[in-house]
Every structure is written in C-alpha cells, then in structure tokens.
Amino acid sequence: MNDIITIGEAMIAFSPQSNGPMRFVNGFEKKIGGAELNLAIGCARLGLKTGYISRLGNDEFGKYIYNFARGEGIDMSHTEFVDGYPTSLNFKEIMADGNVRTFYYRDKSPTLTLTPEDLDEAYFKDAKILHLTGIYPAIGDIHIEVMEKAIELAKKHNLLVSFDPNIRLKMWTKEEARKVLSSILPKVDILLAGAEEMDTIIGEKDPNVIIEKAKSMGISFIAVKQGSEGSVGHYNGETIDAKPVKANKVVDTVGAGDGFNAGVLYGILNDWPLGKTLHFGNTIGSMVVSVVGDNEGLPYYEEVQEKLGEIERIER
Ligand code: KDG
C-alpha cells in the first residue's frame, strides 16, 4: 500500500557550471527535475511509501530517471517507457545575483501518451493521498483529462487530493492557468500553494483571504507558502502563521516548495498538530535551498530531526 501516489512529468535538468546568460555557458551538469518526482523523492526520504505514475522516453535519459527514482525507493510500477517521445529536458540559467531562468524542451513529452484509461483503479484503492500539481495540466490538454479521472478515482476510493498550483508561465498564459486551476481547486482536500500563485488564480495574495476563499470552496487543509517568510496554514478551525526557518545558506531555491509539501503531507499522514506540521515543512524547505539541484537537498527524516535539534548530529 502506498501512502502517496502522484502523477507527473520528470525531466533531465541541466544545471550550468558557470553563471551568466545561458548562451555563454559551455558546461552543464546532468541532474533530475520535475515537481511531482521531487515530491515523491522528498516523501520517500522521510520514510513514506510513494508511487509515481508517468511516462518516460525509451532512451538513456528516461532510463536514468527511472533507475534514480527506484534507487530512492519510489514505486515505479506505473511508469512506462514510450518510443518516439524523447524524455523532456530543461536547462537552467543562473545569474550572478542568483536569479534563475529555466528553458524547457518538453513539447513532445512522453506523458502525452498517458491517457485517462491508462490509470489503474487498483493502484488508487491502495493509497492514502493523491498529489497533483498545476504543471501537469500545462503540458497538454490530455493531461487535464488524466487529472480529472485521477481525482474521480481518488474520491471514489477515499484518498485525500493534495494540490500545488505550481504555475509555470513559460508553459501557459495566466488566463489559461486561471481557467484550468480554478476548476480544480474545489475538488481538492489539501492545498499547498504559493501566495503569488493564488493571486494569479483567485486574485488574492493575502494568506488570510486565501484561506477564507479556499475554505469556502470546501478545502480542508490549506497551507500558503511565503518562501523566506515561512507559511500560514489552516486546518480544523485553527490558523497558524508558522515562522520561517533560517537556511544555513541559500544557493538554489528550486524544489523548496516540493520539500515543504513533502513535510506537510508527512505531518498530515501522522496526524500531527498544524503548527508542528507547518514547522516541519518550513524546516525541509530551508534545507532544500542550501543545496544545488531540484531534489538533492531533500533530507532524510533523521536529517530533519538533526536540524530541529531533536537528535544530536555526530560528525565523526
Ligand atoms: O518545483 C521544481 C520544479 O519546477 C522543477 O524540478 C522542474 O518540474 C519542473 C518544472 O516544470 O519547472
């Protein structure tokens, strides 16, 4: 039985070996990205059983991602290789001031071959949370149908539906994002969203207003992520403004939100109080930003305990 299942598109993420405009960068390091896979890695490292539903190109990059995910302990039984669709890529550009831009090469994504009929109902029966993001529906219209079917199966089998809007404006317009994502929100149980993203979807960025609006849509657990300012969460009549956790050093913020999500889902699955859950998520987010890469900084459970001062770190 899986604690969490997620549907997404993973890709090879090429990280530049020097800063500055990408056209002048000559060396890149091969890494792995994809918000849903990052979430799956984060959850697996915390000790949760996690399944990843996807399609990868039947190529060297696809095999690399598949083996990497298996090595992290993720159940890849519902990820298949497809011919004729190359594994997607992205290239990062990092400027000297830390500003990052991403260039995607994912027009012919292998996940375009995953249809609603491919979703295995038995896999949903055997899980507790379905996690989805707003990146997936931005890839192609068939993905919207897949998400709708996944939500239907999740509801049928009493899974909680967790959702992070993860708006990527390189992939669709604000109007398209607003239209699709606002139709998904009322079907969600757990909302893990950035304040700016909610501004795009519902025209509000004040966490308390977002919480009120989300509650009126029937969403029961709401966490509004505010980056270096911490997060504000609401559950069961209680709203908590969770203070930020200081990062040792900020070198790459990509993936921090996915780490926060993994921590919050861990707290929810363990019935932790809201404050403890948000603090755990904030702590993981602060650890992710100290390491270059979208998922390299996602900690194991014991590492979070060390950061929280719950156990002693023994160096040698
Ligand atoms: O949340 C991090 C992701 O944005 C990154 O890993 C790559 O999925 C990705 C995307 O679409 O940008």
Side-chain angles (χ1 to χ4, degrees), residues 9 11 33-35 38 90 102 104 106 135 166 168 171 254-255 258 294:
E9 182 189 40
M11 68 205 83
N38 298 339
N90 80 45
T102 298
Y104 295 117
R106 61 198 303 189
I135 298 178
N166 258 325
R168 300 287 178 266
M171 298 177 63
V254 178
D258 304 324
D294 299 6

Side-chain angles (χ1 to χ4, degrees), residues 22-39:
M22 201 176 85
R23 57 188 175 275
F24 300 120
V25 175
N26 296 320
F28 291 89
E29 208 177 326
K30 177 167 104 319
K31 292 173 176 285
I32 289 173
E36 305 86 359
L37 184 63
N38 298 339
L39 179 281

Side-chain angles (χ1 to χ4, degrees), residues 31-67:
K31 292 173 176 285
I32 289 173
E36 305 86 359
L37 184 63
N38 298 339
L39 179 281
I41 294 169
C43 290
R45 287 192 191 156
L46 293 174
L48 297 174
K49 291 204 166 23
T50 312
Y52 186 62
I53 302 170
S54 191
R55 294 291 181 267
L56 290 164
N58 191 12
D59 49 34
E60 288 299 313
F61 288 153
K63 286 174 193 150
Y64 174 61
I65 293 171
Y66 188 87
N67 290 344

Side-chain angles (χ1 to χ4, degrees), residues 18 25 78 81 87 99 108 118 120 124 126 133 136 151 204 230 244 296 303 307 310:
S18 53
V25 175
H78 287 67
F81 296 106
T87 297
N99 273 335
K108 206 179 171 202
D118 290 326
D120 173 11
F124 285 73
D126 258 355
T133 83
Y136 201 71
I151 292 173
E204 298 290 351
E296 284 81 341
E303 291 170 332
K307 172 91 181 168
E310 288 173 2

